[in-house]
Amino acid sequence: KYSDVFVKGFMIDTLDSKMIEIDERDISNKSVEAYLPRLAAHSTISKKMKHLWKMSHLSEYDNSCRKLICQHIHKLLLPYYPECKIEMFGSSVNGFGTRGCDLDLMFSPCPDFQYEDIKDDLVLPSLNAIKKSPALQANIKYMGRKKQLRFILRVLRSHPKEINSAIFVNARCPIIKFVAIFNGYKVPCDMSFHHRLALYNTKLLHFLGTIDPRVQPLMITLRFWAKCLNYIGCGHLSSYCFTLLVIFFLQNIENPILPSVDLLMKDAESVIEEGWEVGFTCDPSKFPPSKNKKNLDELLKEFFNFYWNFNFYELIICIRTGKVQRIKNFICSDDETHKRFRVRDICAQDPFDLTYNVGGSASLKGLTLFKPSLYFAYQILCKNLQDDETDTPFQLLFKKAFYKTTFDRNMPFTHMDTEQYLYMFPDYKTLAPLGDAIPVHLWYEFIPDTILNILKYIFFFDAEVIDKNLCDEPPETESKFIRKPSLLMRIQCAVDVMIWNYRNANKDDDLDEFYDNDFKNPVLRRENALSHFFLKSFPALHSPEPIFWFNCNIYKSPYPQCPYILITFNPSESSRQAFSALKALRRKIPVFLKDMYEDSNLFKHPFYE
């Protein structure tokens, strides 16, 4: 039966015969800081985690409002799509949602919609044109998904009292982002187009969250931690990817708490969706309780240590098998599924679409900050890192300022302008095929000497090494748990040639007379010849006196779990020429380094032959 609910002037049909009461409670997206004071009464971290989950998870009221919003948006679209269907997925229904989390919606134009029915030549119509022409209305469900989403965007924008800030986001899976308003209940929404695998992903996560009572409190706590430190979001991990990381951890600890997806699929009825097998059992009786009896605080600590030591450069997270997969095997494989899998800085395979890397949006710089944060969090829970202003380790775990202070105290670049430093990372596509024999130490030796050659023979700076240290022992620091980057090389440069201003000039001229065969690396030989050509063509680029001086300091990561090289530039003065030169160095050095070690013999391996 249907009942009518009147909310701010519009009517919603609900499938519940009982009237749902709408109150004026604060349903804003609360951060973890809003909950922490109310956790002080609980003596253990496990109790704090359980109470945090109870306070923050979506209530019956939240779920009712979200269902009503979904039904109302469906009603707004019915005049244009009489057979359309809107379904909720994601955090709102998988059991891991918190108050204020996004409402993920999936739109299907008709029950039997197939992508094969799309007609690319159909024109995106206006709302008025649809109202005047029934023939146009019959065709809109056959437009491409981007056109249909843009049309839906027009429909939503025509209801400004209920829908705010509606925009179209052109991504791998294009979506409409908007804010739905429901009697004071505001919720950010993401609407995608007929992506039915997402429904099965949601169903899978919901089932995994119910297998063991520790899963949801652990997941909520860790997601709060990642959001608090901005590791979930643009340029970092998606919420879905981070959720897979937690599930994979629970599959790989001693006495696993969660089964692999393959085990769930065993003997289950086959279901094919979008060409992928998605059938799995949701019967918890088929899985005996885990022998793992660890408390939530122990699992929380283990999570941070697990991923601090996880080799993202070499391994793929796969909850389908519940085991790591090697990037080397994917790159070298003849399997079409493996070939289509896009290797990125973090690799996490979707449990159903095996070609999709859900970690593809994460950046190496984000990973470089993410890894030490895992280490800091582990040391906080071990009570090795403390803060005088914070009462408990659990509170300190979410104190973003503490992580920043720890970075600032131990990283020499944090107080510099962005023009004065840059990161370099091992190229995972080069290193991953080498498997267990990844020669990171060779990379650490190669980079400083190559930078010296770039400064001397490409930019023609008067460069001199004034300090060099290739010792693997970490330097002494204030804390045995926090290490500073180790200095590899310090180069002092006198700049008397402004060659950097002309590096993008025309390269079609004959450079044969400038080639120096003493340079073994072809990239260095070519770029050196090009610089000689420019200097001969523009003699005024050479100054009789140094224009300015700067130090180039090259550091290596103190942590083998997180390899990187940090290059800092310290000019003797702040001038227009210095700013221009350092900007060019930050832009050009990574390009030259990449080309030069790809052309060197440093990483030669049978895989490449």
Side-chain angles (χ1 to χ4, degrees):
K1 294 183 178 179
Y2 284 79
S3 63
D4 297 336
V5 178
F6 292 86
V7 181
K8 285 196 172 180
F10 59 81
M11 184 181 72
I12 299 178
D13 295 327
T14 70
L15 297 178
D16 189 354
S17 59
K18 182 179 179 180
M19 180 71 74
I20 298 177
E21 295 183 0
I22 306 299
D23 60 28
E24 296 292 336
R25 296 191 309 163
D26 173 27
I27 43 69
S28 61
N29 186 6
K30 290 187 176 180
S31 63
V32 69
E33 288 83 358
Y35 299 109
L36 288 177
R38 300 164 64 182
L39 302 176
H42 299 278
S43 57
T44 66
I45 290 179
S46 293
K47 291 181 179 179
K48 293 177 188 292
M49 293 172 67
K50 290 178 182 178
H51 197 63
L52 176 62
W53 167 66
K54 290 179 181 178
M55 288 191 300
S56 62
H57 80 283
L58 293 175
S59 65
E60 183 179 350
Y61 167 79
D62 293 306
N63 292 327
S64 299
C65 286
R66 287 166 184 258
K67 290 178 182 177
L68 292 174
I69 287 174
C70 180
Q71 292 170 12
H72 177 61
I73 294 174
H74 178 251
K75 191 169 184 177
L76 295 180
L77 297 177
L78 280 178
Y80 308 95
Y81 292 95
E83 300 178 286
C84 72
K85 188 176 183 180
I86 296 181
E87 298 172 87
M88 296 193 301
F89 68 97
S91 297
S92 295
V93 287
N94 67 17
F96 301 136
T98 55
R99 296 181 66 190
C101 68
D102 290 357
L103 171 58
D104 295 308
L105 302 171
M106 190 194 71
F107 170 82
S108 297
C110 56
D112 57 348
F113 175 81
Q114 299 291 331
Y115 276 101
E116 292 79 7
D117 298 333
I118 286 179
K119 301 176 182 178
D120 294 328
D121 57 341
L122 293 177
V123 179
L124 179 65
S126 65
L127 298 185
N128 289 333
I130 291 292
K131 293 176 181 178
K132 295 177 181 179
S133 173
L136 283 178
Q137 179 176 339
N139 285 331
I140 59 173
K141 66 181 180 181
Y142 299 117
M143 293 190 299
R145 64 175 180 174
K146 291 184 180 181
K147 288 182 180 179
Q148 293 205 45
L149 286 176
R150 290 185 183 278
F151 179 78
I152 293 171
L153 180 65
R154 294 178 178 179
V155 176
L156 296 178
R157 284 178 172 174
S158 66
H159 297 82
K161 291 184 178 180
E162 299 99 22
I163 306 295
N164 284 346
S165 308
I167 60 171
F168 175 81
V169 179
N170 188 13
R172 174 187 179 272
C173 181
I175 59 173
I176 301 172
K177 298 183 75 72
F178 59 94
V179 177
I181 306 170
F182 185 84
N183 194 36
Y185 190 101
K186 295 183 179 180
V187 59
C189 302
D190 293 341
M191 180 181 287
S192 57
F193 183 86
H194 198 74
H195 181 50
R196 298 200 61 81
L197 280 180
L199 300 179
Y200 289 93
N201 283 323
T202 299
K203 181 181 177 182
L204 172 65
L205 297 183
H206 181 270
F207 176 65
L208 291 174
T210 60
I211 288 180
D212 189 283
R214 293 168 290 182
V215 175
Q216 290 189 3
L218 179 66
M219 183 73 73
I220 294 297
T221 301
L222 286 170
R223 285 174 60 149
F224 267 127
W225 175 82
K227 290 178 181 178
C228 180
L229 299 184
N230 296 330
Y231 291 130
I232 290 180
C234 183
H236 297 288
L237 301 171
S238 65
S239 293
Y240 178 49
C241 180
F242 191 80
T243 300
L244 295 192
L245 262 63
V246 179
I247 291 173
F248 184 77
F249 159 71
L250 294 174
Q251 292 174 331
N252 283 270
I253 56 176
E254 186 179 359
N255 294 320
I257 292 176
L258 293 180
S260 67
V261 178
D262 277 342
L263 190 59
L264 299 181
M265 288 180 163
K266 186 179 180 180
D267 301 327
E269 182 181 353
S270 177
V271 179
I272 304 298
E273 187 66 57
E274 298 181 18
W276 298 104
E277 177 60 59
V278 296
F280 60 92
T281 182
C282 288
D283 184 1
S285 64
K286 294 186 177 181
F287 306 98
S290 172
K291 296 180 181 179
N292 189 307
K293 304 301 179 184
K294 291 184 178 179
N295 295 327
L296 281 169
D297 55 340
E298 295 175 294
L299 294 175
L300 183 65
K301 187 190 302 183
E302 279 193 31
F303 172 86
F304 292 124
N305 190 50
F306 179 85
Y307 280 110
W308 163 241
N309 290 288
F310 191 86
N311 188 348
F312 286 100
Y313 288 94
E314 187 180 341
L315 303 175
I316 298 173
I317 292 165
C318 179
I319 72 166
R320 175 71 170 259
T321 62
K323 302 295 180 183
V324 293
Q325 304 292 322
R326 293 193 175 275
I327 294 177
K328 173 185 177 180
N329 296 339
F330 271 52
I331 294 177
C332 301
S333 174
D334 293 329
D335 187 287
E336 190 62 29
T337 299
H338 291 172
K339 287 182 178 180
R340 291 167 57 194
F341 184 87
R342 301 179 66 184
V343 174
R344 290 293 183 265
D345 304 326
I346 291 181
C347 293
Q349 189 180 44
D350 187 87
F352 298 127
D353 182 353
L354 302 181
T355 64
Y356 177 37
N357 179 8
V358 300
S361 62
S363 66
L364 268 174
K365 184 173 182 179
L367 177 61
T368 302
L369 298 175
F370 175 63
K371 291 276 279 186
S373 296
L374 293 165
Y375 179 70
F376 297 160
Y378 176 73
Q379 295 298 342
I380 287 171
L381 293 177
C382 291
K383 299 183 179 180
N384 292 325
L385 287 178
Q386 299 178 0
D387 180 27
D388 295 336
E389 299 178 359
T390 307
D391 295 333
T392 66
F394 192 72
Q395 286 179 300
L396 186 58
L397 195 66
F398 301 98
K399 191 173 182 180
K400 184 178 179 180
F402 177 77
Y403 291 85
K404 185 179 185 305
T405 301
T406 306
F407 277 120
D408 289 349
R409 190 171 64 246
N410 296 281
M411 299 296 186
F413 61 90
T414 50
H415 298 294
M416 298 180 180
D417 296 332
T418 55
E419 291 79 14
Q420 293 180 239
Y421 69 89
L422 64 90
Y423 279 109
M424 291 297 301
F425 307 95
D427 180 41
Y428 57 89
K429 288 185 178 179
T430 300
L431 297 181
L434 305 183
D436 297 328
I438 290 182
V440 176
H441 69 284
L442 294 179
W443 182 75
Y444 278 135
E445 294 175 9
F446 174 81
I447 295 297
D449 291 332
T450 306
I451 291 177
L452 177 63
N453 288 334
I454 291 172
L455 296 175
K456 291 178 67 173
Y457 302 118
I458 296 181
F459 289 100
F460 291 166
F461 296 157
D462 185 4
E464 179 184 359
V465 177
I466 58 176
D467 195 1
K468 186 174 183 179
N469 177 26
L470 295 179
C471 179
D472 289 333
E473 295 182 5
E476 294 184 4
T477 56
E478 300 176 14
S479 168
K480 63 180 179 180
F481 305 108
I482 306 298
R483 302 174 184 174
K484 293 183 179 180
S486 306
L487 179 68
L488 290 177
M489 185 179 289
R490 179 175 286 116
I491 306 170
Q492 188 177 67
C493 296
V495 180
D496 55 5
V497 177
M498 294 185 292
I499 198 72
W500 69 84
N501 283 329
Y502 295 84
R503 293 302 306 170
N504 293 323
N506 188 1
K507 299 184 180 182
D508 293 337
D509 299 271
D510 186 9
L511 303 177
D512 289 345
E513 65 174 296
F514 301 104
Y515 276 114
D516 186 345
N517 292 324
D518 289 340
F519 294 114
K520 302 302 181 184
N521 189 288
V523 177
L524 183 60
R525 184 165 59 248
R526 182 185 67 246
E527 295 298 333
N528 174 263
L530 190 61
S531 294
H532 275 292
F533 168 77
F534 290 141
L535 193 58
K536 181 179 179 180
S537 303
F538 305 97
L541 294 177
H542 193 283
S543 172
E545 297 292 335
I547 305 169
F548 69 94
W549 291 263
F550 72 92
N551 282 345
C552 176
N553 301 321
I554 305 170
Y555 301 89
K556 64 175 284 189
S557 166
Y559 304 109
Q561 298 92 335
C562 185
Y564 66 83
I565 277 182
L566 170 67
I567 308 167
T568 67
F569 306 102
N570 306 99
S572 59
E573 61 183 55
S574 297
S575 63
R576 182 174 59 84
Q577 291 91 342
F579 177 84
S580 175
L582 297 184
K583 183 178 179 180
L585 290 178
R586 289 183 67 252
R587 186 177 70 253
K588 292 292 187 179
I589 283 179
V591 177
F592 290 146
L593 283 173
K594 184 176 185 299
D595 292 343
M596 290 170 74
Y597 73 64
E598 283 181 353
D599 283 344
S600 72
N601 293 319
L602 179 64
F603 299 120
K604 290 302 180 184
H605 188 269
F607 168 73
Y608 297 104
E609 296 176 357

